[in-house]
């Protein structure tokens, strides 16, 4: 469970995140929407402990990330934007490194890596170095890394970015299948994705939450309009 | 700071050198450059001495360029490629990450230094050197490499550009080197009062490295290199956490 209260982050004189509050419970898949630069990634970076908030708090399973960052990092699986990874390592070496940092040794270490490879269908490329992989495979490696320790919370920054329609569908199915026992927050630009898998949607604009409701409620605002039209009317001030 | 956290970072970083051609290029350049300096500039054979002093005397100058080359990527590369975000959202502390990466690079440099062993074998074959002096020289070189690397790791944490990281490292190391270089310290003495110039010279790599090449292992020199290393790593952690 993720609880965020009044999160603020400034970059120089620019306020990137301006008092964002949200709650994600177990079983929730929260779609985090907003135009580029609205503060989605910055909010996620504060929840996962990469950036320190200037005000407000972010808690995962009741642990405040400012108080016990390592405790939070143990409970979160995080897929950063563009799935950064070490290009000279093979898939197996990379996931092995993640498993080691997460404290797995011996047989459990191998089992964790095998499970993550299986879940994300990385079997055919496990001996390949990451720099030789296509965007879709790289994204899946990032996914595998986030799922490796079977965390109760998933924070996914544009998980389907750069994937082809089949891969997108596969990733969505995977997220959906795990959602019942996890709290998931995912950012996206794709509104159909929200309709397809999210049971809640938050739209932020200029660092503030402007919508926090179910996809059906969002649609009900303008029943005849398409979701992207509603999105545009809500975030237009962001230019 | 737990050993279980440092070890994976250390291992990944150390093996990382050998996953790309970087390690091999570096080792070859290091050995060719250090031996060439010893032979051609240091007149190693002409000196007709069973000693490696003429080989080690160039280390502070060689390190000035080669250690920034080895250390420039430590943090800059992570920052540029975004893997720093991955690393710092894994359950490890900044101190563990800094130590893991530093120790890996230090071990790599130690390996480069020790690979000059044929030089020691050569003097051993041609004459009978004082092995204590040789051992002290190696110890001093490794300690000095750690201090240089600490400076480079810190500079690397300040920028995502490896070029800027390299230039800053060379500059910072050059200042630390020059303070004790007799040409420069002579200049200082003429401008500043002698005690001040002497105090400044105390912060130099050369001042503290020279005794090792003569076989003198003085605690104050060991402490100098270790504390400089510790201090730069402390700043390194602070720079990454800011």
């Amino acid at each position: 469970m993720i609880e965020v209260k009044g999160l603020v982050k400034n970059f120089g004189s620019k306020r990137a995140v301006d008092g964002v509050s949200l709650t994600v419970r177990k079983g929730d898949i929260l779609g985090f929407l907003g135009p580029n630069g609205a503060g989605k990634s910055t909010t996620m970076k504060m929840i996962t402990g990469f950036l320190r908030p200037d005000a407000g708090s972010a808690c995962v399973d009741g642990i405040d990330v400012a108080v016990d960052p390592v405790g939070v990092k143990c409970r979160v699986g995080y897929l950063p934007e563009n799935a950064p990874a070490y290009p000279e390592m093979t898939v197996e070496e990379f996931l092995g490194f993640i498993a080691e940092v997460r404290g797995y040794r011996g047989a459990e270490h191998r089992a964790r890596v095998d499970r993550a490879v299986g879940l994300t269908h990385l079997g055919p490329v496990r001996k390949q170095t990451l720099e030789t992989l296509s965007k879709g495979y790289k994204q899946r490696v990032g996914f595998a890394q986030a799922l490796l320790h079977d965390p109760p919370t998933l924070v996914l920054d544009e998980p389907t970015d750069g994937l082809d329609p089949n891969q997108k569908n596969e990733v969505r199915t995977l997220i959906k299948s795990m959602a019942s026992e996890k709290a998931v927050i995912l950012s996206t630009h794709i509104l159909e994705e929200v309709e397809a898998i999210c049971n809640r949607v938050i739209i932020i604009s200029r660092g503030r939450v402007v919508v926090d409701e179910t996809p059906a409620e969002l649609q009900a605002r303008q029943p005849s309009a398409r979701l992207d039209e509603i999105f545009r009317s809500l975030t237009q001030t962001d230019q | 700071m737990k050993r279980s956290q440092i070890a994976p970072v250390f291992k990944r970083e150390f093996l990382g050198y050998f996953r790309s051609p970087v390690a091999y290029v570096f080792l070859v350049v290091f050995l060719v450059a250090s031996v060439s300096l010893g032979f051609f500039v240091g007149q190693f054979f002409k000196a007709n001495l069973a000693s490696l002093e003429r080989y080690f005397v160039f280390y502070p100058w060689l390190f000035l360029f080669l250690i920034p080359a080895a250390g420039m990527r430590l943090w800059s590369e992570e920052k540029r490629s975004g893997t720093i975000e991955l690393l710092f959202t894994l359950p490890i502390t900044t101190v563990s990450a800094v130590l893991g990466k530093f120790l890996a690079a230090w071990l790599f440099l130690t390996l480069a230094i020790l690979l000059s062993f044929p030089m020691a074998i050569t003097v051993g074959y041609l004459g009978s050197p004082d092995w204590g002096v040789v051992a002290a020289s190696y110890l001093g070189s490794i300690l000095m490499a750690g201090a240089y690397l600490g400076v480079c790791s810190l500079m690397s944490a300040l920028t995502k550009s490896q070029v800027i990281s390299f230039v800053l490292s060379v500059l910072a190391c050059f200042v630390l080197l020059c303070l004790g270089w007799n040409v420069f310290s002579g200049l200082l003495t003429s401008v500043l009062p002698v005690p001040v110039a002497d105090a400044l010279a105390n912060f130099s790599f050369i001042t503290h490295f020279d005794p090792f090449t003569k076989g003198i292992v003085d605690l104050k020199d060991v402490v100098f290199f270790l504390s400089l290393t510790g201090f730069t790593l402390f700043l390194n952690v602070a720079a990454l956490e800011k």
Side-chain angles (χ1 to χ4, degrees):
Chain A
M1 171 159 155
I2 305 171
E3 277 178 293
V4 170
K5 286 194 195 106
L7 223 46
V8 173
K9 183 75 193 176
N10 301 312
F11 291 122
S13 61
K14 191 182 177 293
R15 180 156 286 198
V17 174
D18 190 5
V20 166
S21 299
L22 55 88
T23 306
V24 191
R25 288 185 188 81
K26 188 174 144 183
D28 273 354
I29 302 181
L30 174 72
F32 203 32
L33 294 174
N36 281 331
K40 299 187 299 286
S41 291
T42 308
T43 304
M44 291 181 143
K45 283 175 189 176
M46 287 191 278
I47 295 171
T48 53
F50 181 64
L51 290 178
R52 210 170 291 167
D54 293 324
S57 67
C59 294
V60 174
D61 290 347
I63 301 168
D64 190 330
V65 68
V67 177
D68 179 11
V70 172
V72 166
K73 289 165 187 177
C74 288
R75 285 169 177 79
V76 174
Y78 176 42
L79 172 65
E81 198 174 356
N82 301 322
Y86 299 104
E88 73 284 356
M89 298 178 100
T90 67
V91 171
E92 201 165 66
E93 284 165 351
F94 177 69
L95 294 176
F97 164 67
I98 301 289
E100 239 176 278
V101 174
R102 293 214 175 264
Y104 301 113
R105 298 285 184 273
E108 168 137 48
H109 180 271
R110 209 168 44 235
R112 289 278 170 180
V113 172
D114 286 346
R115 181 179 155 277
V117 165
L119 275 174
T120 50
H121 307 291
L122 284 166
V125 296
R126 66 188 289 168
K127 303 273 182 214
Q128 251 173 271
T129 58
L130 296 174
E131 59 198 343
T132 65
L133 298 182
S134 67
K135 177 110 205 234
Y137 270 123
K138 274 185 194 155
Q139 196 72 12
R140 281 197 249 174
V141 172
F143 226 101
Q145 164 273 122
L147 296 176
L148 190 120
H149 54 303
D150 198 16
T153 312
L154 280 176
V155 179
L156 310 170
D157 200 350
E158 300 191 12
T160 57
D161 185 46
L163 303 184
D164 68 34
N166 295 339
Q167 295 166 334
K168 277 185 184 159
N169 200 43
E170 211 175 281
V171 166
R172 285 176 200 159
T173 314
L174 184 63
I175 296 173
K176 249 182 154 168
S177 70
M178 296 181 307
S180 58
E181 69 265 30
K182 292 191 198 307
V184 182
I185 174 166
L186 66 92
S187 75
T188 180
H189 287 299
I190 310 159
L191 290 148
E192 55 180 272
E193 196 156 285
V194 174
E195 282 183 293
I197 57 171
C198 298
N199 61 355
R200 269 186 47 223
V201 50
I202 282 184
I203 298 179
I204 67 168
S205 175
R206 291 178 167 185
R208 288 171 175 278
V209 175
V210 292
V211 167
D212 183 354
E213 55 201 18
T214 65
E217 284 166 340
L218 182 66
Q219 180 68 65
R221 286 176 177 239
Q222 294 175 43
S224 58
R226 293 205 319 273
L227 269 185
D228 55 349
E229 285 164 351
I230 302 172
F231 176 81
R232 204 178 315 141
S233 68
L234 285 166
T235 58
Q236 231 161 20
T237 51
D238 212 53
Q239 301 315 314
Chain B
M1 184 179 91
K2 278 192 270 168
R3 215 176 47 207
S4 63
Q5 295 180 341
I6 298 175
V9 178
F10 170 84
K11 199 173 111 189
R12 197 206 69 76
E13 188 72 29
F14 186 74
L15 294 178
Y17 282 101
F18 297 93
R19 287 191 182 109
S20 69
V22 175
Y24 305 100
V25 171
F26 182 87
L27 291 176
V28 169
V29 169
F30 178 84
L31 293 171
V32 169
S34 68
V35 173
S36 308
L37 281 173
F39 272 87
F40 299 118
V41 185
Q43 306 281 309
F44 181 69
F45 273 141
K46 256 193 185 159
N48 209 17
L49 293 169
S51 137
L52 284 178
E53 200 188 329
R54 280 168 184 257
Y55 171 70
F56 282 112
V57 75
F58 296 103
Y59 265 32
W61 297 98
L62 192 66
F63 281 9
L64 176 61
F65 294 101
L66 288 184
I67 295 189
M72 65 182 183
R73 50 176 283 286
L74 275 177
W75 292 103
S76 303
E77 177 71 12
E78 300 256 1
K79 285 191 159 186
R80 193 194 50 77
S81 67
T83 45
I84 192 159
E85 192 173 345
L86 182 85
L87 190 62
F88 286 136
T89 49
L90 288 170
I92 57 173
T93 59
T94 312
V95 179
S96 309
V98 167
L99 278 180
K101 281 171 93 70
F102 171 81
L103 291 174
W106 198 13
L107 180 66
F108 177 68
L109 292 173
T110 301
L111 178 74
I113 293 167
L114 293 182
L115 279 178
S116 69
F117 72 92
M119 290 295 286
I121 292 176
T122 309
V123 286
Y125 175 73
L126 295 174
S128 46
D130 182 337
W131 291 110
V133 176
V134 173
S137 303
Y138 274 107
L139 174 69
S141 305
I142 291 165
L143 286 172
M144 182 169 66
Y148 267 99
L149 186 65
V151 173
C152 299
S153 182
L154 169 62
M155 294 304 163
S156 173
L158 299 178
T159 168
K160 63 173 142 187
S161 154
Q162 293 198 27
V163 177
I164 295 175
S165 157
F166 178 81
V167 173
L168 287 178
S169 301
V170 172
L171 276 176
C173 292
F174 187 63
V175 170
L176 282 170
L177 187 61
C178 274
L179 292 173
W181 184 29
N182 44 26
V183 178
F184 188 78
S185 57
L187 196 75
L188 276 183
T189 348
S190 64
V191 189
L192 296 167
V194 175
V196 179
D198 276 357
L200 281 176
N202 251 322
F203 282 96
S204 165
F205 288 131
I206 295 184
T207 316
H208 293 278
F209 179 62
D210 257 2
F212 284 102
T213 63
K214 297 185 170 62
I216 305 159
V217 181
D218 191 330
L219 187 64
K220 78 173 195 308
D221 300 322
V222 175
V223 169
F224 169 77
F225 285 129
L226 289 181
S227 54
L228 182 60
T229 310
F231 181 62
T232 48
L233 290 181
F234 167 76
L235 291 180
N236 194 340
V237 172
L240 289 169
E241 278 185 345
K242 81 161 188 332

